Amino acid sequence: MSMEHLPGELVSNVLSRLPSKVLLLCKCVCKSWFDLITDPHFVSNYYVVYNSLQSQEEHLLVIRRPFFSGLKTYISVLSWNTNDPKKHVSSDVLNPPYEYNSDHKYWTEILGPCNGIYFLEGNPNVLMNPSLGEFKALPKSHFTSPHGTYTFTDYAGFGFDPKTNDYKVVVLKDLWLKETDEREIGYWSAELYSLNSNSWRKLDPSLLPLPIEIWGSSRVFTYANNCCHWWGFVEDSGATQDIVLAFDMVKESFRKIRVPKVRDSSDEKFATLVPFEESASIGVLVYPVRGAEKSFDVWVMKDYWDEGSWVKQYSVGPVQVNHRIVGFYGTNRFLWKDSNERLVLYDSEKTRDLQVYGKFDSIRAARYTESLVSLHRGNEFSHKCFSCSLVPDPLLHDSEYLFSF
């Protein structure tokens, strides 16, 4: 029986279990396979099926600046076998296009995955699908702030609009007055980038539920129900009240989500917002600022649309953690950097040294997922998308690199 005459359901089932790079080769086998692999329904179904397969292999996408000098950022895919007694970790580094591979180009945060697409915040801001080797630098926003103001701090959100099949980036801009070098606390402007149009536009300031401040210490991409989220606070009768700010990628609207009192003091305890229940809802990890051993309280919003559904789900620890959380996935997998700035994974009461470093608080990590979703859109001249490749990490087991720390 020829490839063309195999049952369609069988072919789809088999191909959905192959890595994306193999599927790119399979497109060349015959026309029917090409049509299947490029079909939007197969692309969507593949992301769910392949990334849900039970496997002993684990993968993370990591960014880090490994050297004291320069801002050069390594983008790595870490891989390991959970049953490997030697706890070996392999690392492949994404080789950015030549014009973005220098000390002057750097990234500070990972937002994603969203259908296998990641947003890297930095210089420049980037969308990428590492499993397809696609890398797209976003155009700069040309909006100037009103009243002679300039931007001091940005907080970005990233997500997908299923109604328009569009990936969007929203940025909150903290505005300072040039004349007084001050700003009105709690007030922001917002801009929205659309991949489909490859452009930015300003959002109506009245959409923002102001005043609200954003905690800069909560660094885990938290995306649920087509909404991105930031951990913030408001002043209420002289007291500081923790709160969540959400942005809906479909409705393009903001809302405030009230949370219970999960900590006594922000000086004594960190609170990190995280996705929960396979991104069906959100949670908060609460843990001490000080001390080498920390216990974590995990709060979860059981019903995403009900502010009254917050519960303390469970506690973890004490665990040997010197610094703050830099990643979280699943329901109990914590990623943090230790006192030597090494990336550490905690999973089911076990810790694993992932053998990579990031200087100056630069290490960030997110779950790595395989995806066939392409960043290519419409006019390729205005939507230029570069190809990049993964190469073995030259630093992972380099003794000179290890001793340089």
Side-chain angles (χ1 to χ4, degrees):
M1 181 181 292
S2 69
M3 295 293 186
E4 292 276 2
H5 295 95
L6 287 173
E9 187 175 339
L10 172 64
V11 173
S12 179
N13 190 12
V14 171
L15 295 183
S16 294
R17 300 168 186 273
L18 300 178
S20 55
K21 282 189 169 57
V22 174
L23 290 184
L24 294 182
L25 299 175
C26 289
K27 289 198 299 184
C28 304
V29 171
C30 60
K31 185 179 184 302
S32 63
W33 282 25
F34 178 89
D35 291 341
L36 172 64
I37 294 169
T38 56
D39 179 78
H41 177 73
F42 179 84
V43 170
S44 298
N45 189 59
Y46 170 79
Y47 183 76
V48 175
V49 172
Y50 184 86
N51 294 298
S52 299
L53 294 175
Q54 296 298 317
S55 172
Q56 297 175 355
E57 292 290 323
E58 294 278 351
H59 308 279
L60 289 176
L61 184 70
V62 176
I63 59 171
R64 70 196 198 276
R65 297 204 307 271
F67 303 113
F68 280 109
S69 60
L71 296 173
K72 184 177 178 63
T73 306
Y74 276 61
I75 307 169
S76 310
V77 177
L78 302 187
S79 304
W80 67 93
N81 188 304
T82 55
N83 293 329
D84 179 6
K86 295 183 179 180
K87 296 188 175 183
H88 175 75
V89 177
S90 65
S91 174
D92 291 317
V93 175
L94 195 80
N95 223 358
Y98 175 78
E99 50 264 62
Y100 302 109
N101 195 2
S102 75
D103 281 350
H104 305 292
K105 308 297 182 183
Y106 59 89
W107 297 280
T108 57
E109 301 291 342
I110 299 177
L111 279 67
C114 185
N115 300 329
I117 306 297
Y118 298 82
F119 171 70
L120 301 187
E121 188 175 3
N123 178 32
N125 291 326
V126 163
L127 287 176
M128 59 179 289
N129 181 338
S131 55
L132 293 185
E134 293 184 355
F135 183 101
K136 176 177 174 56
L138 274 57
K140 289 185 177 181
S141 168
H142 298 295
F143 292 113
T144 56
S145 302
H147 313 302
T149 59
Y150 65 91
T151 297
F152 183 76
T153 304
D154 290 353
Y155 292 102
F158 167 60
F160 177 64
D161 179 352
K163 285 193 173 180
T164 58
N165 191 34
D166 196 8
Y167 290 86
K168 299 176 180 179
V169 177
V170 60
V171 177
L172 303 179
K173 294 198 170 183
D174 179 9
L175 303 175
W176 290 57
L177 290 170
K178 283 183 178 178
E179 295 81 0
T180 61
D181 197 27
E182 294 178 352
R183 72 177 180 92
E184 191 171 2
I185 300 297
Y187 288 83
W188 309 79
S189 67
E191 297 176 8
L192 187 71
Y193 168 83
S194 158
L195 176 62
N196 284 353
S197 66
N198 194 38
S199 63
W200 293 88
R201 59 186 169 87
K202 268 191 171 298
L203 294 176
D204 185 343
S206 66
L207 295 173
L208 278 158
L210 303 173
I212 187 171
E213 281 293 285
I214 306 297
W215 290 111
S217 60
S218 187
R219 298 167 169 172
V220 177
F221 175 67
T222 305
Y223 187 71
N225 294 292
N226 301 319
C227 298
C228 59
H229 303 81
W230 300 268
W231 183 247
F233 66 93
V234 295
E235 297 293 338
D236 187 5
S237 302
T240 299
Q241 171 67 46
D242 286 325
I243 206 162
V244 174
L245 177 63
F247 178 77
D248 190 312
M249 290 289 170
V250 179
K251 298 177 181 177
E252 296 185 357
S253 62
F254 291 91
R255 72 179 177 119
K256 283 194 288 192
I257 302 173
R258 298 199 173 274
V259 298
K261 191 177 180 65
V262 297
R263 56 180 177 172
D264 295 326
S265 167
S266 60
D267 294 329
E268 297 297 325
K269 289 194 173 182
F270 284 126
T272 298
L273 198 62
V274 296
F276 230 84
E277 305 295 345
E278 299 297 327
S279 295
S281 193
I282 58 176
V284 181
L285 310 180
V286 182
Y287 55 103
V289 172
R290 300 171 185 85
E293 285 196 342
K294 304 181 191 293
S295 294
F296 296 80
D297 292 334
V298 181
W299 290 76
V300 179
M301 195 178 185
K302 301 296 286 184
D303 179 353
Y304 179 76
W305 304 106
D306 179 4
E307 291 181 340
S309 67
W310 287 95
V311 296
K312 184 177 173 181
Q313 185 93 331
Y314 62 88
S315 295
V316 173
V319 185
Q320 196 79 20
V321 184
N322 286 8
H323 293 278
R324 65 184 61 166
I325 294 288
V326 297
F328 179 88
Y329 65 105
T331 57
N332 60 354
R333 291 173 177 173
F334 303 76
L335 293 156
W336 65 76
K337 63 184 183 68
D338 67 12
S339 57
N340 295 316
E341 302 196 76
R342 298 163 70 103
L343 184 63
V344 177
L345 169 69
Y346 174 89
D347 180 11
S348 303
E349 301 185 357
K350 297 179 182 178
T351 58
R352 178 186 288 265
D353 176 6
L354 295 178
Q355 303 172 23
V356 291
Y357 302 74
K359 303 309 293 180
F360 306 113
D361 192 29
S362 64
I363 199 159
R364 300 289 185 273
R367 184 190 176 207
Y368 172 81
T369 56
E370 291 278 328
S371 170
L372 294 173
V373 176
S374 177
L375 296 173
H376 291 282
R377 294 287 192 279
N379 184 337
E380 290 305 321
F381 180 78
S382 62
H383 290 67
K384 193 169 185 180
C385 182
F386 293 93
S387 294
C388 50
S389 58
L390 286 167
V391 298
D393 189 337
L395 300 182
L396 189 60
H397 301 292
D398 188 324
S399 59
E400 291 185 9
Y401 163 66
L402 296 176
F403 287 121
S404 71
F405 288 87

